[in-house]
Amino acid sequence: MKIYLVIVVFLIILLYIMKRRRTAAAVWQIQNRRKQNKEILAMNELAKKFIGEECIIYTITSNDGSVHGIIKEIDDGGMIIRKNSGELEIINLDFVTRIREYPRKKNGKKKGIVLDLE
């Protein structure tokens, strides 16, 4: 019984290390690509279209994969977001992979469940 517990703990630690390595590799790859292609300027201009809108911002570093809130300001490589709880969050645009306006129903109310099957 104890050997199973040791094996499970070892596997959990191994999976955590692999996840961190994968995230670090993705961050490094995106930073390299952005430096070469100067995509940050394009992302700044595109993100400015969403100022004042409630959006879902997908990043490679957030724990759940996305951040929900209203985009307040966009400056040199970063954006300020007011979350639904009222707190402010600053996100580095180098790590943003997608910005999406929060989906709404036909009557204008926010959808309860947002599925990304695309």
Side-chain angles (χ1 to χ4, degrees):
M1 185 67 172
K2 290 182 182 181
I3 191 75
Y4 293 122
L5 182 61
V6 170
I7 291 172
V8 168
V9 170
F10 178 74
L11 288 175
I12 290 172
I13 292 171
L14 185 65
L15 289 173
Y16 176 74
I17 291 171
M18 288 174 55
K19 182 181 182 289
R20 285 192 57 188
R21 280 188 174 178
R22 205 172 319 129
T23 301
V27 167
W28 180 82
Q29 183 180 10
I30 286 176
Q31 283 181 334
N32 255 357
R33 185 172 34 118
R34 292 245 169 101
K35 286 178 185 175
Q36 292 172 359
N37 297 334
K38 307 291 183 191
E39 291 177 1
I40 192 69
L41 297 175
M43 180 60 96
N44 275 346
E45 294 305 314
L46 292 172
K48 285 181 181 178
K49 293 180 180 181
F50 290 105
I51 291 178
E53 299 290 329
E54 186 168 7
C55 296
I56 304 171
I57 296 96
Y58 298 90
T59 65
I60 59 173
T61 57
S62 63
N63 293 336
D64 60 350
S66 65
V67 178
H68 303 259
I70 299 172
I71 298 176
K72 291 295 185 184
E73 185 178 335
I74 297 177
D75 282 331
D76 300 326
M79 72 170 58
I80 299 174
I81 297 172
R82 180 169 302 279
K83 296 174 105 179
N84 295 337
S85 61
E87 60 190 39
L88 291 176
E89 185 167 342
I90 298 173
I91 298 177
N92 187 343
L93 280 174
D94 288 339
F95 303 123
V96 172
T97 57
R98 179 178 177 198
I99 300 173
R100 177 180 180 192
E101 190 173 0
Y102 204 93
R104 299 197 178 270
K105 297 178 184 177
K106 291 180 182 177
N107 60 3
K109 292 184 179 179
K110 290 187 340 184
K111 288 188 175 181
I113 299 174
V114 178
L115 298 175
D116 284 322
L117 302 175
E118 300 168 8

